[in-house]
Amino acid sequence: MDRPAAPTRRITIIDVARHAQVSTTAVSKVLRNAYGVSPTMQAKVRQAISELGYRPNAAARAMRGQTYTIGIMLPDIRNPFFADILDGLTARIAGTDYQVLLGPGCNGEEAEARVIHAMIDRGMDGMVLVAPISTRAYLEQVAGVVPTVVVGRHGRSQTYDTVADDDLTGAALVVNHLADLGHRRIAHIEHHETTADCLAEMPNAIRAEGYRQAMRARGLADEIDIASTRYNQEGGYLGTRQLLARPVRPTAIFAGADIAALGALDAIAEAGLRVPDDISVAGYDNTTFAAFRPISLTSVDQAGHEIGADAARLLLDRIADRNRPTAQIKLSPALVVRRTTAPPPA
Amino acid sequence: MDRPAAPTRRITIIDVARHAQVSTTAVSKVLRNAYGVSPTMQAKVRQAISELGYRPNAAARAMRGQTYTIGIMLPDIRNPFFADILDGLTARIAGTDYQVLLGPGCNGEEAEARVIHAMIDRGMDGMVLVAPISTRAYLEQVAGVVPTVVVGRHGRSQTYDTVADDDLTGAALVVNHLADLGHRRIAHIEHHETTADCLAEMPNAIRAEGYRQAMRARGLADEIDIASTRYNQEGGYLGTRQLLARPVRPTAIFAGADIAALGALDAIAEAGLRVPDDISVAGYDNTTFAAFRPISLTSVDQAGHEIGADAARLLLDRIADRNRPTAQIKLSPALVVRRTTAPPPA
DNA sequence: ATGAAAGCGCTAACAA
DNA sequence: TTGTTAGCGCTTTCAT
């Protein structure tokens, strides 16, 4: 009869050292590819490690400084654009000794702080914060504690590196495209966060500003019309309902995010209007769903994969040297024209 | 002039103890709401904690057994159904001292094992594995090390708890719905994993089997037609191209997942066919995108939120008592009929 | 090139 | 009720 297996103690570095007839120091050095181990020692230790199936205890390592873990905070797991960023990140990290863990999507500043703290408490070696809504001061403070890369926030910092897309240009691409098609009443759906503090740095604000600038540049200053909701499906839906209720309806809607554009399409369908015959719609992010044929949404491509890869690179560099000057990477967006935009109805 | 701030040492339990003029034990007890602390002590310690802004070091705690961290493994962050599960999970965990961290999406058995191991190494107090593809033996082994709940795999285990949907019934709901509409040539797109070992436990296999059984029950055994691809957009697209190329085209396609149904819609649109006039399409999971009006996909609702909440509950229970008998929760699916299914063309 | 030993921050067994 | 103290597994000086 089997006895209930004693809760098997995990193999430690001591077991490995004993099995390989060497010191724990030697094992530790091999684990870290540290300087000063003979090939013979290497071989002995590696064999013992694989024979025993040893795996280093991350907590114990953390107590001495390193966890080999990188924490990623994504604000909204449902927005497929963030999945693209994540792919780029993980692809770039894959070759290293680091492991990626994600903080769960969080809404609101408080929840965001909780997730960030949780990651710091758990000794992350570095963090990537995607489109955080915290104040700049808070981000600086966080970055002072652990190497941090902030994705999708404009404005340079002395403490953290940034990767962002040129949202000003991106918004202009859309407006110009629609204006070129002959539209004049081009409305915009923005994501509006109440915290004024960091507003100027947020991509949503920059896109709205880019929209305004481009409208003015095209002599359409009088047609500027913004519905302030949120970058999610419901936000797009509600914003569009607002816009469709205007005395003079817009002939084109530029939603600041694809996911909001989906909501816009929803509201438009509900109103019995056709896209693009009655009204044109453009999004932002060029997510998988924009490319999806039955939707086929005109959108702005942000190269999420590249953003993620760049963020990973910057983070690894900063972990390697915490005193290097901070870098700001700004990527250029590209317009992808599909079937939801066309000339306005005659 | 500011001097570069000395890399501020983190506040430890010792600092708190000193500041509150008590022992570290006292602080530790307060932190854990442990038995045997006077209200006075409580107050003193709590005040010191907040005055100093102390936060426990998770790594140090981990070395003594607990990290207050729960690891979730999601196979595919792009499938919005998994976001529903995650929501249910986090909602249930929110009130507790535990923090949720996610392993990044992983494809393939090896990547899955890497993520699972990474979580074990980092001392997760518990894990939720969503639709894992590892062998059953491996899952049992993992669950032997750390409390584990497996979501979306059928078959009971002595070691881990499970939450799953009744996929056999779910598939039958779809087939019966289509057959009731008058369809006979009802095809299925399945997710086919090569690892035969755990195949029988996987929801995709069960759905395919449910499809077969229901088809036979309806006297449509001769019409059984399965395209084996994968549960993602491309899989649905390719599978549908196969099915549309049949000498006699199916009049309805039952995709085993909404995300695959999207790919199916794509292929159908490309072929110049209309849904549901020329061909009906049904999915599975009732994701946000199925409900999305311009798509309006008939689908099977799995109540992802509830699945997640149940998984969280089981996990917390198991963490509290590792020896309690394992539980198997099976939830009943419901059909949500929308606009992609209709009687076959005359 | 190799090893002995201190100590990271916390918990828990034990002593007072 | 409160405090003292021995580790948890690892990295890192510092000898050898």
Side-chain angles (χ1 to χ4, degrees):
Chain A
M1 276 229 330
D2 288 351
R3 275 181 308 161
T8 41
R9 200 180 47 78
R10 202 180 148 115
I11 306 289
T12 76
I13 205 174
I14 301 183
D15 301 315
V16 176
R18 191 156 35 212
H19 191 259
Q21 316 252 48
V22 299
S23 72
T24 58
T25 310
V27 179
S28 175
K29 283 193 167 181
V30 171
L31 285 176
R32 290 171 294 120
N33 301 308
Y35 173 82
V37 261
S38 68
T40 329
M41 175 76 68
Q42 277 271 357
K44 269 197 295 188
V45 172
R46 291 213 183 285
Q47 182 170 1
I49 287 177
S50 83
E51 278 179 22
L52 297 177
Y54 166 78
R55 294 186 57 92
N57 177 324
R61 294 182 127 181
M63 299 226 36
R64 308 297 279 143
Q66 287 217 76
T67 55
Y68 299 94
T69 312
I70 286 173
I72 318 281
M73 194 209 65
L74 295 178
D76 175 13
I77 204 175
R78 283 194 165 74
N79 188 333
F81 171 56
F82 294 129
D84 292 344
I85 295 182
L86 186 62
D87 281 348
L89 262 160
T90 48
R92 183 69 183 70
I93 302 281
T96 72
D97 284 340
Y98 291 94
Q99 173 66 40
V100 169
L101 288 183
L102 276 70
C106 44
N107 45 350
E109 202 166 343
E110 201 186 331
E112 183 171 301
R114 190 159 42 241
V115 170
I116 292 176
H117 260 126
M119 290 185 164
I120 296 177
D121 295 344
R122 282 156 187 78
M124 299 291 168
D125 291 342
M127 298 200 302
V128 176
L129 307 180
V130 178
I133 58 169
S134 299
T135 66
R136 192 205 173 77
Y138 180 72
L139 295 179
E140 300 259 358
Q141 183 199 321
V142 166
V145 179
V146 34
T148 301
V149 173
V150 172
V151 171
R153 278 270 286 254
H154 297 252
R156 67 192 313 135
S157 156
Q158 299 300 324
T159 340
Y160 53 79
D161 305 279
T162 58
V163 182
D165 200 64
D166 186 348
D167 296 291
L168 214 54
T169 302
L173 287 174
V174 174
V175 171
N176 287 331
H177 164 63
L178 292 168
D180 288 345
L181 285 172
H183 289 273
R184 293 184 54 83
R185 288 205 46 67
I186 303 168
H188 178 59
I189 296 178
E190 75 170 342
H191 177 97
H192 194 72
E193 206 74 36
T194 38
T195 46
D197 176 59
C198 52
L199 195 60
E201 295 188 348
M202 302 297 285
N204 38 308
I206 311 266
R207 284 175 204 172
E209 181 54 28
Y211 159 79
R212 283 190 214 93
Q213 288 184 13
M215 288 294 277
R216 284 195 287 269
R218 295 293 294 234
L220 299 173
D222 293 344
E223 308 286 356
I224 290 174
D225 186 4
I226 297 183
S228 284
T229 58
R230 303 184 67 80
Y231 282 177
N232 57 30
Q233 208 171 306
E234 197 193 358
Y237 175 80
L238 294 175
T240 302
R241 301 236 320 185
Q242 283 177 36
L243 294 172
L244 294 183
R246 300 278 196 254
V248 183
R249 210 170 55 206
T251 60
I253 293 178
F254 162 34
D258 282 354
I259 192 90
L262 292 189
L265 293 177
D266 200 347
I268 291 169
E270 192 185 61
L273 298 171
R274 286 161 311 155
V275 173
D277 312 69
D278 299 315
I279 188 165
S280 286
V281 174
Y284 207 109
D285 290 343
N286 194 30
T287 58
T288 332
F289 291 97
F292 176 52
R293 186 178 316 259
I295 293 178
S296 212
L297 180 72
T298 294
S299 187
V300 176
D301 187 88
Q302 281 203 72
H305 196 276
E306 236 179 280
I307 291 177
D310 282 335
R313 189 168 51 73
L314 288 181
L315 186 58
L316 293 176
D317 286 351
R318 175 145 314 281
I319 289 173
D321 174 9
R322 297 184 60 145
N323 294 315
R324 70 197 286 274
T326 58
Q328 292 77 33
I329 294 184
K330 189 180 269 192
L331 295 165
S332 293
L335 185 71
V336 181
V337 177
R338 296 204 181 82
R339 295 203 315 263
T340 54
T341 50
Chain B
M1 276 228 329
D2 288 351
R3 276 182 304 160
T8 42
R9 200 178 50 77
R10 200 177 149 114
I11 307 289
T12 76
I13 203 173
I14 300 183
D15 301 315
V16 177
R18 191 157 33 212
H19 190 260
Q21 317 251 53
V22 300
S23 73
T24 57
T25 308
V27 180
S28 176
K29 282 195 168 182
V30 171
L31 287 175
R32 290 173 293 121
N33 302 308
Y35 172 83
V37 262
S38 67
T40 330
M41 176 74 69
Q42 276 270 357
K44 271 198 294 188
V45 172
R46 291 214 184 282
Q47 182 170 1
I49 287 177
S50 84
E51 277 179 25
L52 297 176
Y54 166 77
R55 293 186 57 90
N57 178 325
R61 292 182 127 181
M63 298 225 38
R64 305 297 283 149
Q66 284 217 76
T67 55
Y68 298 94
T69 312
I70 286 173
I72 317 281
M73 193 207 66
L74 296 178
D76 176 13
I77 204 177
R78 284 195 164 75
N79 188 333
F81 171 57
F82 294 130
D84 292 344
I85 295 181
L86 186 63
D87 281 348
L89 262 160
T90 48
R92 185 68 183 69
I93 301 282
T96 72
D97 284 340
Y98 290 95
Q99 172 66 41
V100 169
L101 289 182
L102 275 70
C106 46
N107 45 352
E109 203 167 342
E110 202 186 330
E112 183 171 300
R114 192 159 40 239
V115 171
I116 292 175
H117 260 126
M119 291 185 163
I120 296 176
D121 295 344
R122 282 156 187 79
M124 299 292 168
D125 291 343
M127 300 199 302
V128 176
L129 308 180
V130 178
I133 58 168
S134 299
T135 64
R136 191 204 172 79
Y138 179 73
L139 295 180
E140 300 260 359
Q141 183 199 319
V142 166
V145 179
V146 36
T148 301
V149 173
V150 172
V151 171
R153 277 267 289 252
H154 297 251
R156 68 194 311 135
S157 157
Q158 298 301 324
T159 339
Y160 53 79
D161 305 278
T162 58
V163 182
D165 198 65
D166 186 348
D167 296 292
L168 215 53
T169 302
L173 287 175
V174 174
V175 170
N176 286 330
H177 164 62
L178 292 168
D180 288 346
L181 285 172
H183 289 274
R184 293 185 52 83
R185 289 204 46 67
I186 303 168
H188 178 58
I189 296 178
E190 75 169 341
H191 177 98
H192 193 73
E193 208 74 37
T194 39
T195 45
D197 176 58
C198 51
L199 194 59
E201 296 189 348
M202 303 296 286
N204 39 306
I206 311 267
R207 285 175 202 170
E209 181 54 28
Y211 159 78
R212 282 191 214 92
Q213 288 184 13
M215 288 293 278
R216 282 195 288 267
R218 296 294 295 232
L220 299 173
D222 292 345
E223 307 288 354
I224 290 175
D225 186 3
I226 297 183
S228 284
T229 59
R230 304 182 68 80
Y231 283 175
N232 56 32
Q233 207 169 309
E234 197 193 358
Y237 175 80
L238 295 175
T240 303
R241 301 234 322 182
Q242 283 176 36
L243 294 172
L244 293 182
R246 300 276 196 254
V248 183
R249 213 168 56 205
T251 61
I253 293 178
F254 162 34
D258 283 354
I259 192 92
L262 291 189
L265 293 176
D266 200 345
I268 291 169
E270 192 185 62
L273 297 170
R274 285 161 311 153
V275 173
D277 312 69
D278 299 316
I279 188 166
S280 287
V281 174
Y284 207 110
D285 290 343
N286 193 30
T287 58
T288 332
F289 292 98
F292 176 52
R293 187 178 316 260
I295 293 177
S296 212
L297 180 72
T298 294
S299 188
V300 177
D301 187 88
Q302 280 203 72
H305 196 276
E306 234 180 284
I307 291 178
D310 282 335
R313 189 168 51 73
L314 288 182
L315 186 58
L316 293 175
D317 286 351
R318 176 143 314 280
I319 289 174
D321 175 9
R322 298 185 58 147
N323 292 316
R324 70 197 287 275
T326 58
Q328 292 77 34
I329 295 184
K330 188 180 270 191
L331 296 165
S332 293
L335 185 71
V336 180
V337 177
R338 295 204 181 83
R339 294 204 315 265
T340 54
T341 49

Coordinates of all heavy atoms in Angstrom, one line a residue, chain B residues 13 25 28 32 54 61 64, chain C residues 8-14:
Chain B
I13 N 10.1 45.3 9.0 CA 9.3 45.1 10.2 C 10.1 45.5 11.4 O 9.5 45.9 12.4 CB 9.0 43.6 10.2 CG1 7.8 43.3 11.1 CG2 10.2 42.8 10.7 CD1 7.4 41.8 11.0
T25 N 7.8 40.4 16.6 CA 6.7 39.4 16.7 C 5.4 40.1 16.7 O 4.4 39.7 16.0 CB 6.9 38.6 17.9 OG1 8.2 38.0 18.0 CG2 5.9 37.4 17.9
S28 N 4.5 41.4 13.4 CA 4.1 40.2 12.5 C 2.7 39.7 12.8 O 1.9 39.5 11.9 CB 5.1 39.1 12.7 OG 4.7 38.0 11.9
R32 N -0.8 39.7 10.4 CA -1.5 38.5 10.0 C -2.8 38.3 10.8 O -3.4 37.3 10.8 CB -0.6 37.3 10.3 CG 0.6 37.2 9.3 CD 1.6 36.1 9.6 NE 2.3 36.4 10.9 CZ 2.2 35.6 11.9 NH1 1.5 34.5 11.9 NH2 2.9 35.9 13.0
Y54 N 4.9 51.5 5.9 CA 5.5 50.1 5.8 C 4.6 49.2 4.9 O 3.4 49.3 5.0 CB 5.6 49.5 7.2 CG 5.9 48.0 7.1 CD1 7.1 47.5 6.8 CD2 4.8 47.1 7.3 CE1 7.4 46.1 6.7 CE2 5.1 45.7 7.3 CZ 6.3 45.3 7.0 OH 6.5 43.9 6.9
R61 N 8.2 37.0 3.2 CA 7.1 36.2 3.6 C 7.1 34.9 2.9 O 6.8 33.8 3.5 CB 5.8 36.9 3.3 CG 5.6 38.2 4.1 CD 4.3 38.8 3.7 NE 3.5 39.1 4.9 CZ 2.3 39.6 4.9 NH1 1.7 39.9 3.7 NH2 1.6 39.8 6.0
R64 N 8.8 32.1 4.4 CA 8.2 31.4 5.5 C 6.9 30.8 5.1 O 6.1 30.4 6.0 CB 8.0 32.5 6.6 CG 9.2 33.2 7.0 CD 10.2 32.2 7.6 NE 9.9 31.9 8.9 CZ 10.2 30.7 9.5 NH1 10.8 29.8 8.8 NH2 10.0 30.5 10.7
Chain C
dC8 P 20.8 41.9 7.3 OP1 21.6 43.2 7.4 OP2 20.1 41.3 8.4 O5' 19.7 42.1 6.1 C5' 20.1 42.4 4.8 C4' 19.1 41.8 3.8 O4' 19.5 40.4 3.7 C3' 17.7 41.7 4.4 O3' 17.0 42.8 3.8 C2' 17.1 40.4 3.8 C1' 18.4 39.6 3.4 N1 18.6 38.3 4.2 C2 18.7 37.1 3.5 O2 18.6 37.1 2.3 N3 18.9 35.9 4.2 C4 18.9 36.0 5.5 N4 19.1 34.8 6.2 C5 18.8 37.2 6.2 C6 18.6 38.3 5.5
dG9 P 16.3 43.8 4.8 OP1 15.9 45.0 4.1 OP2 17.0 43.9 6.1 O5' 14.9 43.1 5.1 C5' 14.0 42.8 4.0 C4' 12.9 41.9 4.5 O4' 13.5 40.7 4.9 C3' 12.1 42.4 5.7 O3' 10.7 42.3 5.4 C2' 12.6 41.5 6.9 C1' 12.9 40.3 6.1 N9 13.9 39.4 6.8 C8 15.0 39.8 7.5 N7 15.8 38.9 7.9 C5 15.1 37.7 7.5 C6 15.4 36.3 7.6 O6 16.4 35.9 8.2 N1 14.5 35.5 7.0 C2 13.4 36.0 6.4 N2 12.6 35.0 5.8 N3 13.1 37.2 6.2 C4 14.0 38.1 6.8
dC10 P 9.6 42.7 6.5 OP1 8.5 43.3 5.7 OP2 10.2 43.4 7.6 O5' 9.2 41.3 7.0 C5' 8.5 40.4 6.1 C4' 8.6 39.0 6.6 O4' 9.9 38.8 7.1 C3' 7.7 38.6 7.8 O3' 6.5 38.1 7.2 C2' 8.5 37.6 8.5 C1' 9.9 37.6 7.9 N1 11.0 37.7 8.8 C2 11.7 36.5 9.2 O2 11.2 35.4 8.8 N3 12.7 36.6 10.0 C4 13.2 37.8 10.4 N4 14.2 37.8 11.2 C5 12.6 39.0 10.0 C6 11.5 38.9 9.2
dT11 P 5.3 37.8 8.3 OP1 4.1 37.6 7.5 OP2 5.3 38.8 9.4 O5' 5.7 36.4 8.9 C5' 5.7 35.3 8.0 C4' 6.1 34.1 8.8 O4' 7.4 34.2 9.5 C3' 5.1 33.7 9.9 O3' 5.0 32.3 9.8 C2' 5.8 34.1 11.2 C1' 7.3 33.8 10.8 N1 8.3 34.6 11.5 C2 9.5 34.0 12.0 O2 9.6 32.8 11.9 N3 10.4 34.8 12.5 C4 10.3 36.2 12.7 O4 11.2 36.9 13.2 C5 9.1 36.8 12.1 C7 9.0 38.3 12.2 C6 8.2 36.0 11.6
dA12 P 3.8 31.5 10.6 OP1 3.2 30.5 9.7 OP2 2.9 32.5 11.3 O5' 4.6 30.7 11.8 C5' 5.7 29.9 11.3 C4' 6.3 29.3 12.6 O4' 7.2 30.3 13.1 C3' 5.4 28.9 13.7 O3' 6.0 27.8 14.4 C2' 5.3 30.2 14.5 C1' 6.8 30.6 14.5 N9 7.0 32.0 14.7 C8 6.1 33.0 14.5 N7 6.6 34.2 14.8 C5 7.9 34.0 15.2 C6 8.9 34.8 15.5 N6 8.8 36.1 15.6 N1 10.1 34.2 15.8 C2 10.2 32.9 15.7 N3 9.3 32.0 15.4 C4 8.1 32.6 15.1
dA13 P 5.0 26.8 15.1 OP1 4.5 25.9 14.0 OP2 4.1 27.5 16.0 O5' 6.0 26.0 16.0 C5' 7.4 25.8 15.6 C4' 8.3 26.0 16.7 O4' 8.5 27.5 16.9 C3' 7.8 25.5 18.1 O3' 8.8 24.9 18.8 C2' 7.4 26.8 18.8 C1' 8.4 27.8 18.2 N9 7.8 29.2 18.2 C8 6.6 29.6 17.8 N7 6.4 30.9 17.9 C5 7.6 31.4 18.4 C6 8.1 32.7 18.7 N6 7.4 33.8 18.6 N1 9.4 32.8 19.1 C2 10.1 31.7 19.3 N3 9.8 30.4 19.0 C4 8.5 30.3 18.6
dC14 P 8.5 24.1 20.1 OP1 9.3 22.9 20.2 OP2 7.0 24.0 20.3 O5' 9.1 25.1 21.2 C5' 10.4 25.6 21.0 C4' 10.6 26.8 21.9 O4' 9.8 27.9 21.5 C3' 10.2 26.6 23.4 O3' 11.4 26.7 24.2 C2' 9.2 27.7 23.7 C1' 9.5 28.7 22.6 N1 8.4 29.6 22.2 C2 8.5 31.0 22.2 O2 9.6 31.4 22.6 N3 7.5 31.8 21.9 C4 6.4 31.3 21.5 N4 5.4 32.1 21.2 C5 6.2 29.9 21.4 C6 7.2 29.1 21.8

